[in-house]
Amino acid sequence: MDFEHTEERKLLAEMVRRYIADNYDLNGRHTAAALPEGFSRERWQAFAELGLIGALFPESAGGYGGAGADIAVLFEELGRGLVVEPFLAALLAGTVLAETRSDCPQLAGLIAEETILALAHEEADSRYDLARVTTEAKHNPDGSGWVISGAKSVVLAGDSADWLIVSARISGEVTQEAGIGLFLIPANADGLSIRGYPTVDGMHAAEIALEAVTVDADALLAGEGSGYAMLERAIGAGLLALSAEALGAMDVSADLTVEYFKTRSQFGKTIGSFQALQHRLADVLIEISQTRSSLINAASRFGSDDRQEREWALSAVKVCAGRNGQMVAEEVIQMHGGIGMTWDYAVGHYAKRLVMIDHMLGDADHHLLRVANLSKGGE
Amino acid sequence: MDFEHTEERKLLAEMVRRYIADNYDLNGRHTAAALPEGFSRERWQAFAELGLIGALFPESAGGYGGAGADIAVLFEELGRGLVVEPFLAALLAGTVLAETRSDCPQLAGLIAEETILALAHEEADSRYDLARVTTEAKHNPDGSGWVISGAKSVVLAGDSADWLIVSARISGEVTQEAGIGLFLIPANADGLSIRGYPTVDGMHAAEIALEAVTVDADALLAGEGSGYAMLERAIGAGLLALSAEALGAMDVSADLTVEYFKTRSQFGKTIGSFQALQHRLADVLIEISQTRSSLINAASRFGSDDRQEREWALSAVKVCAGRNGQMVAEEVIQMHGGIGMTWDYAVGHYAKRLVMIDHMLGDADHHLLRVANLSKGGE
Amino acid sequence: MDLNYSEEENAFRAEVRAFMETSVPSDLAAKVRGGKRLSKADHESWHAILSRQGWLAPAWPVEYGGTDWDPVQRYIFEEEYVRAGAPRIVPFAVTMLAPVLIKFGTEEQKQRYLPRILDGSDWWCQGYSEPGSGSDLASLRTRAVRDGDEYIVTGQKTWTTLGHHANMIFCLVRTKQDGKPQEGISFLLIDMATPGIEVRPIITIDGEHEVNEVFFDDVRVPVANRVGEENKGWTYAKYLLGHERTGIAGIAFATQALSNLKSVARRQMKGGRPLIEDPLFASRIAMTEIELDALRTTSMRAIVAARDGNSPGIEASMLKVKGTLIRQEISNLARKALGPMAMPYVTEALDPGSNVEAVGPEGANAVSSQYFNLRKMSIYGGSNEIQRNLIAKSLGL
Amino acid sequence: MDLNYSEEENAFRAEVRAFMETSVPSDLAAKVRGGKRLSKADHESWHAILSRQGWLAPAWPVEYGGTDWDPVQRYIFEEEYVRAGAPRIVPFAVTMLAPVLIKFGTEEQKQRYLPRILDGSDWWCQGYSEPGSGSDLASLRTRAVRDGDEYIVTGQKTWTTLGHHANMIFCLVRTKQDGKPQEGISFLLIDMATPGIEVRPIITIDGEHEVNEVFFDDVRVPVANRVGEENKGWTYAKYLLGHERTGIAGIAFATQALSNLKSVARRQMKGGRPLIEDPLFASRIAMTEIELDALRTTSMRAIVAARDGNSPGIEASMLKVKGTLIRQEISNLARKALGPMAMPYVTEALDPGSNVEAVGPEGANAVSSQYFNLRKMSIYGGSNEIQRNLIAKSLGL
């Protein structure tokens, strides 16, 4: 048993952290977030050149990583830096491609930062239920491929993507796992309309409507029998990534608070000397430590072939990220007081990101019951 | 709008409090609890002479009270005194009699403390679900009355009762509200077996088995159409009483803690000067104050003919009593440290009572969902 | 003990409701209900409507333009005007400064300033907090040095809510450097047009401009603008804070927010059924409902105690803490109720004039930003930590 | 990073499991699983079984009768012996005193006392807390005055767990009155048969006799029974407490308790269905499972850090707090799971010999009393408040 990362991963983390420290301060983040696409192409290119996109995928898919620990290490640093570039969208969509069409030019383009990809899966009423897909894919009457209609909601990086991976129901009831297909569709396809917008934590997403979008037969990445499993795989990677990002954001939030505790004075002493605040900070640190442990568990089980073990751990860490992230967010703002509420100070932005992570890919309630259901078989 | 009790009720409360202060210390309580019946007949007589049993019932039933405020005022004092005598059993069973057979000798005997009554309703698998009754009542084949078979669980004062009011299903499915009858049965009836035992908080209860117990036709207090409503009425009174008792116990627990905070020293200062403890105590006091408000609401709505309004308030206060009672119990023990864990010191006994009250007549989870269901109709 | 409203109180409610139904402009109510930004003019026009009715400042003595309503009536009034979708009465003049003026001001000050509050001539803001003195208010350092009939004020205030709309500010300033910090504070009324005052916006984490920094550089203030005695300002400040604290609980607003939450939870779907039927979510809503139902009575107990001449004391602190926590919890649940739809934030859509459309269900756009905005409730008005200190202190700890 | 057990570790687990399956007496396992009282003889016989196998004190150096297991193996051992229903190894000698003796004792002390722990000749108890010194341990007042080759000890200890079984006690005593309280403490080993010692029971709120007061009235203790230097006892005491803290988390016991809870929740019915299917209850169990799964790794991280020579430090405090909270939460849920059946408490039924039957489902009788008993976990071993103080201190606050 060993909790140390490999030398390669330590170097990767170190490199990312240094790059972010040198190039990515809060103002830079705001500037990038305010760009039309919600991120900086220049930074995205720099990240790609550092090899960060390749770290998300295995060698078989043109990358050099893709293990749970790779994803965890990288996203923890992205969380520390509050990075707005579309890594999560890349991971979600790229995971699908890596498993279904690892030699496609879109994946190569993604790793080389030339292509932006997004996974368009959630719908207005699906609320984290992976199998609830109402967007429909029908065989084109002319026999040449598919016709897809429906709407997708809160698609991360959906407004900057060149290609979308869209889930659509080929057959079955609206909540059935079987019958879901995944399609690779160019963002400029006829019938696609995309409305991008910022999210409250400074990221970007889009609402996407598909009106009889026609695609060739080879747009189908995963068919009725395998689409759901592929989705679960991609979302699983996303759960790990988001949780790691949350851990990074929690860590920085706590560090900023410790720092503030030592410098801010009230009633003639540093606020860090007030026992009530000390104890609350201690509880915050305990929960952060627990989140780290849960992340280690999930990263380690991410590669497991035992679906129950793997998905249990992924849902578990997302519960920790969601619950503890909210606790950290609320506590660090409160412990800072007014300054924590201001745009120009960092903690509020970490807090927003932490709280919004709970809204992504399933909130703590959702994953808590998923854990309960996955536990049923066990002791 | 007026939050003051009437002069009569203030005098009643004052009198009970003085009697308990003069006659009912912790050792006295232990002694009474250790008696075979789990309480002192002598004290029970004294309480009756003070008029306390009569305060639970309206004039129409031979008492002189019975309003929500009467029950709340009295039980708050009983909670403060950790009284073990069977007031709750008297209230539950007496409420049924007062509404169904207000002139019966058993009720008069109860008010005069000569008769002990108990309501035998809960069953091993009913878990707070009022309508779940599997004990069966069948017409006696000889046409003379009823034959009742089944088992009742955790019947308060069931081992000292002279008469039992037993709920039994006359018709309908096992969870149906209609079809439940209430029967008045002497505790020495053939076929009745009663096993009494102490509870963890120093009270007494009994498991009761009924094997073809035959009773006359006039044993039926409330039949298929009205039994459930009568039960709800009695349990409602019990919810109010238990919540008031909890409030009294919380108040004393907090007072003891404040006192301890001022006398106990650690690290050269009183423990009450440690801010972390101060803040936790403040939160405890806030929740106690909220419980008091909720109790005022419930006592005030107890007499309402609007079932939804009344039951909402009764479930709401039981949620407060259950949740806040546990919080207070755990916090006051923790804030006392080791001494709070000892038999010879009072807080542990208050804590046990507080926690066990949550197990009686529906726990916080049960009543929380009941509130949610009762709210559905409203805004 | 009688918790029911009397017949007179019910009649009063009907009167207020009838007025609100005809008097709250529908476009204003729509803005309030949609969580849109309100302009200075929006506030002013609503104040003017209330003022014409004589209801802008119900708690003031009748002689100064208030009403003779008792606290229960005032609560009913508040409930009804929130219910009608009216915006909150801007509190700085009406419920914060005015009670201080009425109790400690000179007759001249009362005659000058109270009517100008009622007729909308003055918009007041509060100059209490400073960058170095948050919870430790008494450590404030803005100095006022006497120079003949004037004070010369230099220093900085912060968290000045809606200070960019104000033409007047009431300030705590230090008039004595030595001795206990509490004993050298005075309470000044300052015209913001005086040379040397600069207002700078503070943007909060929701991206909004609501609060400000106010800088004072050798600002000359007539001594006649001091309220009460020199160096006794701390007494007046505490009096004001006590008033602020009971008001902050904002039961009526919480009731409205809870009702909104429930309608969102009825519309949002989970697993094909309304979210409000989900046991976990339903139990959270129910818990909040129970707590608010209790808080309403806690608040009434404090109000009735005040009516009967008792000081609210510890109850005011309890109300502040619990009231803000409940309000925050409601906004927390509203955010959670929306699921992924809590994420989109199209700020342009909050501007009344804008034709940019929001994303997601009706009213969803402002929900998350409001959740973050309301974090302030447990910080301002004496942070919840300060209230807990006060509660402990009142127990003799 | 590798969280999987190695092949060697799996083989080790199989070996331990095989031993436990044949060696834990079935009547003993039944008592442990049923929450019944264990007699002194029960403990002693189990210690003897482990001792014969050489596994009573795995963490000791091999030369003193320990094993060369690494921390992961020790954790596997603990997991397996809890799983087999074996009682907890009584910790006072094996995991509390022995590490102190091994690190700071004389060779003579080690040679005398360590074998007697292994062969069961001595039952040790702990003399740390005093009535006036709970969390503030260093304020202890039991005095030891030097008289030739002896100390004369006078004072009182309290919360002495299982002191009524013990023939030996290790004590912190004050050997210097002036200076910092920490600098006048010595660590003594005292034979409880020495004249002047009296043990009095403390009955706890669950009605059990587990802890005691120990009174010392001019008790003569040979100076040779002092561990380490005079007035340096605080160092040894802290060393011991650090060991206690990592042990208290008791992951293996919590795992067992969680498994029991789940089987209760499967059997208890709510609305005609197993309680474990109730969303509210299921989500609470799931939360505890998630937290325990994380805590196991938190604990392993501390253990592996210790193996690699790093000091656990702040992690030990975090483990103590979170570990005790999780353990308490499991017992809380077990109590709730039983509904009304958590109330009956037939203490006679807990006595192994008794033929009084309990009321309610199998094992229900002890559940509530255990919930109350376990409140102690957040109080002893350095209360959770003290741990939070230590965490803050380690941050330089």
Side-chain angles (χ1 to χ4, degrees):
Chain A
M1 202 165 290
D2 181 9
F3 294 98
E4 292 278 299
H5 283 301
T6 58
E7 278 309 311
E8 289 78 10
R9 292 200 184 105
K10 280 196 225 170
L11 285 173
L12 176 74
E14 178 55 34
M15 183 181 67
V16 185
R17 193 179 293 205
R18 195 168 323 125
Y19 175 81
I20 291 173
D22 293 348
N23 298 282
Y24 211 102
D25 65 2
L26 196 60
N27 277 329
R29 194 235 185 198
H30 291 333
T31 309
L35 292 170
E37 294 186 310
F39 69 93
S40 149
R41 288 274 177 173
E42 201 182 321
R43 291 250 165 79
W44 186 234
Q45 187 179 351
F47 283 131
E49 280 164 10
L50 289 172
L52 305 196
I53 309 176
L56 301 176
F57 306 109
E59 286 185 29
S60 60
Y64 63 94
D70 296 312
I71 295 170
V73 161
L74 176 55
F75 275 87
E76 186 179 337
E77 295 305 326
L78 298 178
R80 298 182 65 89
L82 272 183
V83 169
V84 295
E85 278 65 34
F87 279 97
L88 185 62
L91 176 67
L92 293 171
T95 300
V96 173
L97 288 184
E99 303 236 345
T100 55
R101 203 165 293 175
S102 59
D103 55 354
C104 69
Q106 288 87 350
L107 184 54
L110 173 71
I111 294 173
E113 65 74 28
E114 290 147 12
T115 312
I116 305 280
L117 283 172
L119 176 65
H121 169 59
E122 286 186 7
E123 301 181 0
D125 277 342
S126 61
R127 200 187 174 92
Y128 313 134
D129 181 351
L130 228 53
R132 185 172 288 269
V133 173
T134 62
T135 297
E136 277 188 327
K138 294 184 175 163
H139 287 283
N140 196 333
D142 74 6
S144 70
W146 302 86
V147 183
I148 303 172
S149 295
K152 297 292 175 178
S153 223
V154 200
V155 176
L156 302 172
D159 51 345
S160 52
D162 305 296
W163 291 83
L164 300 169
I165 294 175
V166 176
S167 61
R169 182 158 294 287
I170 298 173
S171 65
E173 293 298 311
V174 72
T175 59
Q176 215 170 305
E177 294 182 4
I180 298 171
L182 298 178
F183 297 86
L184 182 61
I185 307 181
N188 58 3
D190 284 345
L192 254 181
S193 55
I194 298 176
R195 182 188 170 187
Y197 50 79
T199 57
V200 75
D201 54 351
M203 314 294 267
H204 254 240
E207 301 297 289
I208 297 182
L210 301 98
E211 286 183 54
V213 174
T214 62
V215 291
D216 289 345
D218 75 346
L220 182 67
L221 296 169
E224 305 173 56
S226 61
Y228 181 83
M230 214 50 70
L231 265 178
E232 190 174 84
R233 193 77 196 134
I235 300 295
L239 294 173
L240 182 64
L242 280 172
S243 303
E245 200 187 329
L247 179 65
M250 289 184 212
D251 247 353
V252 177
S253 300
D255 289 348
L256 287 169
T257 306
V258 172
E259 188 60 30
Y260 189 70
F261 270 24
K262 291 180 182 172
T263 49
R264 169 79 170 174
S265 283
Q266 294 276 274
F267 303 104
K269 33 187 195 167
T270 60
I271 60 172
S273 63
F274 288 97
Q275 195 193 31
L277 296 182
Q278 289 181 351
H279 282 203
R280 283 162 63 177
L281 182 61
D283 285 336
V284 162
L285 294 177
I286 288 171
E287 297 307 332
I288 295 176
S289 171
Q290 283 281 94
T291 308
R292 180 171 296 285
S293 291
S294 186
L295 184 70
I296 290 170
N297 294 346
S300 155
R301 296 173 202 158
F302 177 70
S304 169
D305 292 329
D306 179 339
R307 175 182 173 268
Q308 181 182 322
E309 183 192 27
R310 180 184 70 236
E311 297 300 325
W312 192 100
L314 291 168
S315 279
V317 72
K318 190 63 169 48
V319 170
C320 291
R323 284 174 61 118
N324 300 339
Q326 180 178 344
M327 177 216 193
V328 172
E330 294 182 353
E331 283 291 57
V332 298
I333 289 180
Q334 184 69 24
M335 295 194 288
H336 273 84
I339 186 86
M341 294 284 300
T342 60
W343 187 267
D344 289 341
Y345 192 74
V347 288
H349 298 284
Y350 283 99
K352 287 189 287 183
R353 183 67 189 141
L354 282 170
V355 171
M356 283 303 117
I357 282 175
D358 190 40
H359 288 265
M360 300 172 79
L361 310 184
D363 61 15
D365 276 3
H366 172 84
H367 285 288
L368 196 53
L369 281 179
R370 190 164 183 253
V371 163
N373 285 326
L374 286 164
S375 289
K376 263 183 195 155
E379 208 179 303
Chain B
M1 202 165 289
D2 180 9
F3 294 99
E4 291 279 296
H5 284 300
T6 59
E7 278 309 312
E8 290 78 8
R9 291 200 185 105
K10 281 196 227 171
L11 286 173
L12 177 74
E14 180 52 35
M15 183 181 70
V16 185
R17 193 181 294 206
R18 197 171 319 127
Y19 175 82
I20 290 173
D22 293 348
N23 300 282
Y24 211 102
D25 66 0
L26 197 59
N27 277 329
R29 194 235 186 198
H30 292 333
T31 308
L35 291 170
E37 294 186 311
F39 69 93
S40 151
R41 288 273 178 175
E42 201 182 319
R43 291 251 166 78
W44 186 233
Q45 187 178 351
F47 283 130
E49 280 162 10
L50 290 172
L52 305 196
I53 309 177
L56 301 175
F57 306 109
E59 286 183 29
S60 60
Y64 63 94
D70 296 312
I71 295 170
V73 160
L74 177 56
F75 274 87
E76 186 179 336
E77 295 305 326
L78 299 177
R80 297 182 65 88
L82 271 183
V83 169
V84 296
E85 279 64 35
F87 279 96
L88 185 62
L91 176 67
L92 293 171
T95 300
V96 173
L97 289 184
E99 303 237 345
T100 56
R101 203 166 290 176
S102 58
D103 56 353
C104 69
Q106 289 87 351
L107 184 53
L110 174 70
I111 293 173
E113 65 75 28
E114 290 148 11
T115 311
I116 305 280
L117 283 170
L119 175 66
H121 168 59
E122 285 186 7
E123 302 181 357
D125 278 341
S126 62
R127 201 186 174 93
Y128 314 132
D129 181 352
L130 228 53
R132 183 172 289 269
V133 173
T134 63
T135 297
E136 277 188 326
K138 294 187 174 160
H139 288 283
N140 196 331
D142 73 8
S144 70
W146 300 88
V147 183
I148 302 173
S149 295
K152 296 292 176 179
S153 222
V154 199
V155 177
L156 302 173
D159 51 345
S160 52
D162 305 296
W163 290 83
L164 299 169
I165 294 175
V166 175
S167 60
R169 182 158 295 285
I170 298 173
S171 65
E173 293 299 312
V174 72
T175 58
Q176 215 170 304
E177 294 181 5
I180 299 171
L182 299 177
F183 297 86
L184 182 61
I185 307 181
N188 59 4
D190 283 345
L192 253 183
S193 55
I194 298 177
R195 180 186 172 189
Y197 49 79
T199 57
V200 75
D201 54 351
M203 314 296 266
H204 254 239
E207 301 297 290
I208 297 182
L210 301 99
E211 287 183 53
V213 175
T214 63
V215 292
D216 290 345
D218 75 347
L220 183 66
L221 297 169
E224 305 172 58
S226 62
Y228 180 84
M230 214 50 71
L231 265 178
E232 189 174 86
R233 193 81 195 129
I235 300 294
L239 294 174
L240 183 64
L242 279 172
S243 303
E245 199 186 330
L247 179 65
M250 288 184 215
D251 248 354
V252 178
S253 301
D255 289 347
L256 287 169
T257 306
V258 172
E259 187 60 31
Y260 190 71
F261 270 24
K262 290 179 182 173
T263 49
R264 171 77 170 175
S265 283
Q266 294 275 275
F267 303 103
K269 34 186 194 169
T270 60
I271 60 171
S273 63
F274 288 96
Q275 195 195 31
L277 295 183
Q278 289 182 351
H279 281 205
R280 283 163 62 175
L281 181 62
D283 285 336
V284 162
L285 294 177
I286 288 171
E287 297 306 332
I288 295 176
S289 171
Q290 283 282 91
T291 307
R292 180 171 296 286
S293 291
S294 186
L295 184 70
I296 290 170
N297 294 346
S300 156
R301 297 174 201 158
F302 178 70
S304 168
D305 292 329
D306 179 340
R307 173 180 176 268
Q308 182 182 323
E309 183 192 27
R310 180 184 70 236
E311 298 299 325
W312 192 101
L314 291 168
S315 279
V317 71
K318 190 61 169 49
V319 170
C320 291
R323 283 174 62 118
N324 299 340
Q326 180 178 344
M327 177 215 191
V328 172
E330 294 181 353
E331 282 291 59
V332 298
I333 290 180
Q334 184 69 23
M335 295 193 288
H336 273 85
I339 186 88
M341 294 285 301
T342 62
W343 188 266
D344 290 340
Y345 192 74
V347 288
H349 298 283
Y350 283 99
K352 285 189 290 182
R353 184 66 188 143
L354 281 169
V355 170
M356 283 303 116
I357 283 175
D358 190 41
H359 288 264
M360 300 173 78
L361 308 185
D363 61 15
D365 275 3
H366 172 84
H367 285 288
L368 196 53
L369 281 179
R370 189 166 183 255
V371 163
N373 285 326
L374 287 164
S375 289
K376 265 186 196 155
E379 209 182 305
Chain C
M1 194 166 59
D2 182 8
L3 254 69
N4 298 312
Y5 290 107
S6 66
E7 264 181 51
E8 291 76 17
E9 284 161 347
N10 285 330
F12 175 77
R13 183 186 292 278
E15 182 195 350
V16 175
R17 186 171 298 186
F19 169 78
M20 292 295 167
E21 271 165 12
T22 56
S23 307
V24 182
S26 57
D27 61 329
L28 192 57
K31 281 186 198 173
V32 169
R33 294 203 169 109
K36 301 210 170 181
R37 298 190 178 100
L38 298 183
S39 66
K40 185 178 181 189
D42 286 331
H43 288 293
E44 288 177 332
S45 69
W46 173 237
H47 277 209
I49 292 167
L50 282 177
S51 192
R52 274 196 298 277
Q53 177 74 3
W55 290 359
L56 178 59
W60 294 8
V62 176
E63 53 184 308
Y64 297 116
T67 68
D68 55 1
W69 299 346
D70 70 13
V72 176
Q73 286 176 298
R74 296 210 298 270
Y75 175 75
I76 291 170
F77 169 72
E78 199 182 324
E79 231 176 27
E80 289 300 322
Y81 96 67
V82 172
R83 188 177 171 280
R88 176 162 215 159
I89 295 172
V90 181
F92 309 106
V94 173
T95 54
M96 295 167 73
L97 173 63
V100 173
L101 284 183
I102 290 166
K103 190 163 173 91
F104 303 107
T106 62
E107 199 51 36
E108 216 179 319
Q109 287 169 338
K110 292 180 213 181
Q111 294 303 341
R112 170 164 176 76
Y113 294 114
L114 295 176
R116 292 175 57 85
I117 291 172
L118 294 180
D119 70 13
S121 305
D122 288 337
W123 183 303
W124 286 88
C125 63
Q126 183 186 33
Y128 267 39
S129 291
E130 299 186 4
S133 67
S135 288
D136 183 11
L137 184 57
S139 71
L140 60 91
R141 291 186 300 183
T142 294
R143 293 175 65 154
V145 180
R146 186 73 175 259
D147 180 31
D149 286 347
E150 293 181 325
Y151 289 106
I152 304 174
V153 178
T154 301
Q156 182 191 348
K157 295 292 176 180
T158 191
W159 312 127
T160 310
T161 305
L162 301 186
H164 51 304
H165 293 339
N167 66 314
M168 295 293 295
I169 183 167
F170 56 91
C171 274
L172 297 180
V173 295
R174 181 156 305 288
T175 38
K176 187 158 142 268
Q177 296 300 325
D178 49 351
K180 279 182 67 179
Q182 286 82 354
E183 288 163 6
I185 292 170
S186 299
F187 192 111
L188 296 187
L189 311 175
I190 306 180
D191 186 331
M192 292 184 75
T194 322
I197 295 182
E198 189 192 349
V199 179
R200 291 185 207 157
I202 297 174
I203 307 301
T204 45
I205 49 174
D206 50 352
E208 297 292 313
H209 173 204
E210 191 177 39
V211 289
N212 302 273
E213 297 177 293
V214 183
F215 293 84
F216 298 85
D217 184 13
D218 285 347
V219 175
R220 294 194 160 261
V221 181
V223 169
N225 280 19
R226 192 187 67 222
V227 176
E229 294 178 48
E230 190 172 86
N231 297 330
K232 299 278 188 207
W234 187 246
T235 309
Y236 321 139
K238 279 198 301 180
Y239 180 77
L240 183 154
L241 285 174
H243 271 261
E244 188 185 4
R245 218 167 278 151
T246 41
I248 278 173
I251 312 284
F253 283 93
T255 305
Q256 185 70 26
L258 181 61
S259 162
N260 291 346
L261 162 64
K262 287 172 82 172
S263 67
V264 170
R266 265 192 289 268
R267 289 195 311 264
Q268 287 298 112
M269 301 299 282
K270 177 172 176 182
R273 291 170 57 192
L275 178 64
I276 202 164
E277 293 176 17
D278 174 68
L280 260 73
F281 208 84
S283 70
R284 288 218 192 90
I285 293 181
M287 194 62 230
T288 307
E289 235 177 324
I290 291 168
E291 296 210 273
L292 183 57
D293 185 60
L295 190 77
R296 195 174 292 112
T297 295
T298 305
S299 162
M300 279 299 191
R301 283 162 56 206
I303 287 173
V304 169
R307 180 190 65 187
D308 299 348
N310 303 315
S311 129
I314 189 174
E315 279 79 16
S317 291
M318 289 184 173
L319 265 179
K320 162 67 175 39
V321 175
K322 196 70 194 180
T324 57
L325 291 179
I326 290 173
R327 193 81 179 73
Q328 289 176 333
E329 172 64 2
I330 295 170
S331 76
N332 177 42
L333 291 178
R335 167 180 71 71
K336 285 185 196 287
L338 286 170
M341 278 305 163
M343 294 167 65
Y345 187 41
V346 184
T347 62
E348 299 89 335
L350 297 175
D351 283 326
S354 162
N355 53 10
V356 175
E357 263 188 63
V359 171
E362 177 79 29
N365 195 29
V367 165
S368 286
S369 67
Q370 176 155 79
Y371 161 80
F372 290 109
N373 182 280
L374 291 189
R375 306 312 312 163
K376 71 187 177 192
M377 296 191 89
S378 44
I379 297 172
Y380 68 23
S383 73
N384 285 10
E385 288 72 30
I386 291 290
Q387 305 304 330
R388 293 190 182 97
N389 284 349
L390 291 172
I391 292 169
K393 201 173 166 189
S394 78
L395 297 170
L397 300 179
Chain D
M1 194 164 59
D2 182 9
L3 255 71
N4 298 311
Y5 290 109
S6 66
E7 264 181 50
E8 291 74 21
E9 284 162 347
N10 284 331
F12 175 78
R13 183 185 292 278
E15 181 196 348
V16 176
R17 185 171 297 184
F19 170 79
M20 292 295 166
E21 273 165 12
T22 55
S23 308
V24 183
S26 58
D27 61 329
L28 191 56
K31 281 187 197 174
V32 170
R33 293 204 170 108
K36 301 210 170 182
R37 298 188 178 100
L38 298 182
S39 67
K40 183 177 181 187
D42 286 331
H43 288 294
E44 287 176 335
S45 70
W46 172 237
H47 277 209
I49 291 166
L50 282 178
S51 191
R52 274 196 297 279
Q53 177 73 3
W55 289 358
L56 178 59
W60 296 7
V62 176
E63 53 183 306
Y64 296 115
T67 67
D68 56 1
W69 298 346
D70 69 16
V72 175
Q73 286 175 300
R74 296 209 298 268
Y75 175 76
I76 291 171
F77 169 72
E78 199 183 322
E79 230 176 28
E80 288 301 321
Y81 98 67
V82 173
R83 188 177 172 280
R88 175 163 215 159
I89 295 172
V90 181
F92 310 105
V94 173
T95 54
M96 294 167 75
L97 173 63
V100 173
L101 284 183
I102 289 165
K103 191 164 173 85
F104 302 106
T106 61
E107 199 50 40
E108 218 177 317
Q109 287 169 336
K110 293 181 212 180
Q111 293 304 341
R112 172 165 175 77
Y113 293 114
L114 296 177
R116 291 175 59 84
I117 292 172
L118 293 181
D119 70 15
S121 305
D122 287 337
W123 183 302
W124 286 89
C125 64
Q126 183 186 33
Y128 267 36
S129 291
E130 299 187 3
S133 66
S135 287
D136 183 10
L137 184 57
S139 69
L140 61 91
R141 291 186 302 183
T142 295
R143 292 175 63 151
V145 180
R146 187 74 176 258
D147 181 31
D149 285 348
E150 292 180 325
Y151 288 106
I152 303 174
V153 177
T154 301
Q156 182 192 347
K157 295 293 176 179
T158 192
W159 312 126
T160 311
T161 305
L162 301 185
H164 50 303
H165 293 339
N167 65 316
M168 294 295 293
I169 184 169
F170 56 91
C171 274
L172 296 181
V173 295
R174 181 157 305 290
T175 37
K176 187 157 141 266
Q177 296 299 324
D178 50 352
K180 282 181 67 178
Q182 287 81 354
E183 288 164 5
I185 292 170
S186 298
F187 193 112
L188 294 187
L189 311 175
I190 306 181
D191 186 331
M192 293 184 75
T194 322
I197 295 183
E198 189 192 349
V199 178
R200 291 187 207 156
I202 297 174
I203 307 300
T204 43
I205 49 175
D206 50 352
E208 297 292 313
H209 173 205
E210 192 178 39
V211 289
N212 301 272
E213 298 178 293
V214 183
F215 294 83
F216 298 85
D217 184 12
D218 286 346
V219 175
R220 294 194 160 260
V221 181
V223 169
N225 279 19
R226 192 188 67 222
V227 176
E229 295 179 48
E230 191 172 84
N231 297 330
K232 299 280 186 204
W234 187 245
T235 309
Y236 321 139
K238 281 198 301 180
Y239 180 77
L240 184 153
L241 285 174
H243 270 262
E244 190 184 3
R245 219 167 279 153
T246 40
I248 278 173
I251 311 284
F253 283 92
T255 306
Q256 183 72 26
L258 181 60
S259 161
N260 292 345
L261 162 64
K262 287 173 83 170
S263 68
V264 170
R266 265 191 289 267
R267 288 194 312 262
Q268 288 298 112
M269 301 299 283
K270 176 173 177 183
R273 291 170 58 192
L275 179 63
I276 204 166
E277 294 176 16
D278 175 68
L280 261 73
F281 209 83
S283 69
R284 287 216 192 91
I285 293 181
M287 194 62 230
T288 308
E289 236 177 323
I290 292 169
E291 296 210 275
L292 183 57
D293 185 61
L295 190 76
R296 196 174 292 113
T297 295
T298 306
S299 162
M300 279 299 189
R301 282 161 59 204
I303 288 173
V304 170
R307 179 190 65 187
D308 300 347
N310 303 315
S311 131
I314 189 174
E315 279 80 16
S317 291
M318 289 184 171
L319 263 178
K320 161 68 173 44
V321 174
K322 196 70 194 180
T324 56
L325 291 179
I326 290 174
R327 192 83 178 74
Q328 290 175 333
E329 172 65 3
I330 295 170
S331 76
N332 178 43
L333 292 179
R335 165 178 75 68
K336 285 185 196 286
L338 286 169
M341 279 303 164
M343 295 168 64
Y345 186 42
V346 184
T347 64
E348 301 88 333
L350 296 175
D351 284 327
S354 161
N355 53 10
V356 176
E357 262 187 63
V359 171
E362 177 80 27
N365 196 28
V367 165
S368 286
S369 67
Q370 175 156 77
Y371 161 80
F372 291 110
N373 182 281
L374 291 190
R375 305 313 310 164
K376 72 186 177 193
M377 295 190 91
S378 44
I379 297 171
Y380 68 25
S383 73
N384 285 11
E385 288 72 29
I386 291 290
Q387 305 304 330
R388 293 190 182 95
N389 284 349
L390 291 172
I391 292 168
K393 201 172 166 192
S394 77
L395 297 171
L397 300 179

